[in-house]
Amino acid sequence: MSRSSLHLDSPRQPLARPGAGSPAPAGNVTTEPAVASGSQPSPAPRRHGGDNWRYSSQLNQQLTAAQRALGFVDSLAGQLEALKGELSGQLTQRRVDSARLARGIEQVAQQWSQRGAASGGSLDSRLQFRLAADARQTFTVRGLEVANLTQGVAETLVFFSGEPGSGPAAVKVGEPLSEAALLAALGRALAPSGIQPQLDEQGQLQFSVAEAAWQGVRERFSLRGGGIRFPAGQPQHLKLQPTEQALQPQQWQSADHAGTRQTLQKVLRALDQLQLSRAAISRAMAEVRHAIAQLSQMSEQLWADGFVNDFNARFNTPDSESGLYEVVPALLGVSRYRVLSLLALP
């Protein structure tokens, strides 16, 4: 799991509130209404003008996405708890009932395969929550590393995504080129194809694309170089390596005690990850409900004015240092690589 960040795509990330009573707005969601077991949808806010209603509708959609994600997480956690009990019980016996354990593993695998539909696109394959219900597949490309692209002789790389409406995209790499400039150039070139470059927590270059478009990009993404880093002439198909999924039940073993013990450890790690995801989802739901409650009492313009005035009051006074102390905890753990990736977004 990645370190905590300010983005809702991280299970560890708390939703930072800009100011008391002034929640930050979030992006659009396009999911069908669904309510997780045990959760009740918040009533639609009273209408105070078209803009306020539109914004409130977006918040309700985001709440729906969070509820669907929570329902999936709880259901999967229940199956993993049952499997954990079976694995623990089998390990206390001399003989492992591999067929029974295999059925339990298969049930988890089937549940995991329904992640995208069940969560409405709000949980990605790493169990990172996406409030905008826009789960993405991250991947790396051999030869496209930061050091390789920012050093050495200059060369023009031409990308072909094969996506409808996107043509060839050229990017000049090599010295002199900074990490930030590289991300910005790749971001502009690949934006029409829906592919986004980013740096992971270790500063390694990776890419992401909407999960629905992943298979098409994987089959058609190609590149033509200038004969330095990549061959010139005909575009070469790129081999994309997807990042490892949070759960890989298809690899879990139960044929003997050794395999069963290893599977138990993987199940325990998966349960820990689900707890982190659940915490992030719960925080998101609390913030969205708070925003809906606030908007039900005022127009969007009044809310925006109140936020600006509150922000200025906090950070433009002689004692503004005390306000800084409220913001710093939310920034802890945010790496320079994540900041660079955000700044490079087109």
Side-chain angles (χ1 to χ4, degrees), residues 3-269:
R3 293 180 295 182
S4 63
S5 71
L6 291 179
H7 303 283
L8 278 180
D9 59 356
S10 170
R12 298 176 183 269
Q13 177 264 329
L15 269 169
R17 191 177 300 170
S22 301
N28 295 336
V29 188
T30 55
T31 57
E32 298 177 0
V35 180
S37 177
S39 300
Q40 295 297 325
S42 297
R46 295 192 301 274
R47 186 167 183 167
H48 291 281
D51 290 341
N52 186 43
W53 178 252
R54 181 171 59 251
Y55 185 43
S56 301
S57 177
Q58 293 171 2
L59 289 171
N60 274 304
Q61 288 179 326
Q62 292 166 356
L63 181 58
T64 296
Q67 290 171 332
R68 294 183 68 172
L70 188 64
F72 174 79
V73 165
D74 286 346
S75 177
L76 182 58
Q79 286 198 341
L80 286 171
E81 286 287 356
L83 179 58
K84 182 185 75 173
E86 286 285 349
L87 292 166
S88 300
Q90 293 285 338
L91 287 172
T92 63
Q93 304 175 12
R94 286 189 173 183
R95 184 176 180 180
V96 172
D97 188 344
S98 59
R100 181 173 180 176
L101 292 178
R103 286 193 295 271
I105 293 173
E106 177 60 26
Q107 289 177 351
V108 171
Q110 289 180 355
Q111 178 81 358
W112 179 244
S113 69
Q114 299 169 6
R115 169 188 52 80
S119 70
S122 56
L123 276 178
D124 67 17
S125 63
R126 296 170 296 166
L127 281 176
Q128 293 184 344
F129 177 56
R130 310 277 302 194
L131 184 61
D134 59 347
R136 301 179 67 82
Q137 173 66 55
T138 57
F139 60 93
T140 57
V141 182
R142 185 175 180 180
L144 296 182
E145 294 89 20
V146 172
N148 188 34
L149 299 180
T150 57
Q151 301 173 12
V153 179
E155 178 183 16
T156 297
L157 306 180
V158 182
F159 293 89
F160 301 83
S161 70
E163 290 297 295
S166 64
V171 177
K172 188 174 182 179
V173 300
E175 292 183 321
L177 189 64
S178 66
E179 292 177 351
L182 172 64
L183 285 176
L186 288 171
R188 288 191 297 269
L190 298 175
S193 65
I195 300 173
Q196 294 177 359
Q198 59 199 58
L199 299 180
D200 65 16
E201 294 301 318
Q202 289 73 45
Q204 302 301 313
L205 180 62
Q206 62 180 206
F207 302 84
S208 71
V209 69
E211 287 190 340
W214 162 240
Q215 286 303 325
V217 169
R218 191 174 194 177
E219 294 171 0
R220 297 187 292 269
F221 200 28
S222 58
L223 181 153
R224 182 179 68 231
I228 300 174
R229 295 167 184 80
F230 291 91
Q234 291 297 318
Q236 303 293 311
H237 180 262
L238 294 172
K239 185 176 182 180
L240 312 186
Q241 181 61 44
T243 54
E244 187 174 289
Q245 297 191 8
L247 273 70
Q248 300 184 69
Q250 68 279 4
Q251 298 181 5
W252 296 354
Q253 302 296 321
S254 61
D256 51 30
H257 275 78
T260 300
R261 190 174 295 106
Q262 291 177 0
T263 296
L264 177 59
Q265 294 301 315
K266 293 174 181 177
V267 168
L268 292 174
R269 285 196 293 270

Side-chain angles (χ1 to χ4, degrees), residues 238-309:
L238 294 172
K239 185 176 182 180
L240 312 186
Q241 181 61 44
T243 54
E244 187 174 289
Q245 297 191 8
L247 273 70
Q248 300 184 69
Q250 68 279 4
Q251 298 181 5
W252 296 354
Q253 302 296 321
S254 61
D256 51 30
H257 275 78
T260 300
R261 190 174 295 106
Q262 291 177 0
T263 296
L264 177 59
Q265 294 301 315
K266 293 174 181 177
V267 168
L268 292 174
R269 285 196 293 270
L271 285 169
D272 287 341
Q273 290 177 300
L274 285 172
Q275 286 183 349
L276 293 174
S277 293
R278 198 184 199 286
I281 296 167
S282 297
R283 288 192 294 267
M285 291 176 68
E287 290 289 347
V288 172
R289 286 193 174 108
H290 180 75
I292 290 173
Q294 291 292 312
L295 284 172
S296 68
Q297 305 299 324
M298 65 182 72
S299 70
E300 184 174 2
Q301 183 62 48
L302 287 175
W303 173 85
D305 291 342
F307 168 71
V308 171
N309 292 334

